[in-house]
Amino acid sequence: AILAILRERRPVHLSERDSELYELLFRPNHFSPRQFQTLISNAQWRQANNSALVTEGQTVTNLILLASGHCDVTIGGDQANVIRPGDFIGELEYMQSQDKSDAGSVVISAPVSVIAKGEVNYVSWSFEDLEALLNAPQNKQILVRIEALLAKDIATKLLETDIRHGARLNPDKIPGVPGVK
């Protein structure tokens, strides 16, 4: 127990892009630098440019976190929402996979397409690797925090989609809401 406390208190050195992501999303959501380092060290940084990160109807096997840029979310070709830095992609599918006994073998199809608008940078975790990381006994606090963060992300997107849909039906009813046209 004492060794774990000492390890947690040792300084953590993050790259510039890791540090920016930590400050954007993880610090405000009460992740310690060490917890973030554990999580990010198991992720892969990726880049896309005007391409699909997720395609409607295809199997989702990765949890993605947008670090920079924007993505459009479409359903049947119609825009439903926008993904911004700090937003997750595949979080609903990841949470659904956790309800199954063997997440590595669960096949969940994307209900939407997510398309990068211009250049985007993101981090990606395979569901299988993330499950193994979060279910390790020493990472239970990270598991609780990431599940809360994903639930918050899902709730925010549902609210934004509902507001956007309501604004299309009654544009004068929701003045001043950013992103509503």
Side-chain angles (χ1 to χ4, degrees):
I2 293 173
L3 288 176
I5 292 169
L6 291 174
R7 188 176 67 84
E8 179 68 26
R9 291 185 180 174
R10 280 194 348 238
V12 172
H13 301 288
L14 300 172
S15 70
E16 184 177 338
R17 68 181 181 182
D18 288 351
S19 183
E20 288 172 3
L21 190 59
Y22 176 70
E23 293 297 329
L24 173 69
L25 184 65
F26 292 90
R27 182 183 181 128
N29 285 286
H30 312 291
F31 282 76
S32 72
R34 176 95 35 223
Q35 290 169 331
F36 173 72
Q37 184 181 49
T38 299
L39 195 57
I40 201 71
S41 68
N42 286 276
Q44 295 181 345
W45 277 93
R46 300 201 183 275
Q47 190 174 60
N49 193 350
N50 292 317
S51 59
L53 277 64
V54 172
T55 302
E56 188 172 350
Q58 291 190 354
T59 302
V60 179
T61 59
N62 291 300
L63 178 65
I64 296 170
L65 175 58
L66 196 64
S68 67
H70 293 83
C71 297
D72 285 342
V73 177
T74 62
I75 301 173
D78 295 326
Q79 184 172 350
N81 209 340
V82 174
I83 302 293
R84 298 177 231 23
D87 289 346
F88 286 95
I89 301 166
E91 72 285 355
L92 188 57
E93 294 81 4
Y94 176 73
M95 296 292 276
Q96 288 174 328
S97 76
Q98 297 310 292
D99 290 339
K100 311 297 183 205
S101 60
D102 183 12
S105 65
V106 173
V107 175
I108 299 175
S109 298
V112 300
S113 290
V114 181
I115 299 129
K117 292 316 221 179
E119 185 176 298
V120 300
N121 293 293
Y122 61 95
V123 291
S124 177
W125 296 267
S126 76
F127 289 173
E128 195 172 339
D129 291 346
L130 189 57
E131 179 187 23
L133 172 73
L134 296 177
N135 286 325
Q138 68 272 22
N139 294 330
K140 291 300 179 190
Q141 286 185 349
I142 300 172
L143 172 65
V144 169
R145 285 189 170 90
I146 200 74
E147 285 181 345
L149 192 56
L150 294 175
K152 180 178 168 183
D153 189 77
I154 292 167
T156 299
K157 286 179 187 157
L158 288 172
L159 179 61
E160 287 175 355
T161 300
D162 191 44
I163 288 171
R164 285 175 192 276
H165 180 70
R168 281 193 207 120
L169 297 176
N170 297 302
D172 299 328
K173 299 284 185 183
I174 314 172
V177 175
V180 175
K181 296 179 181 175

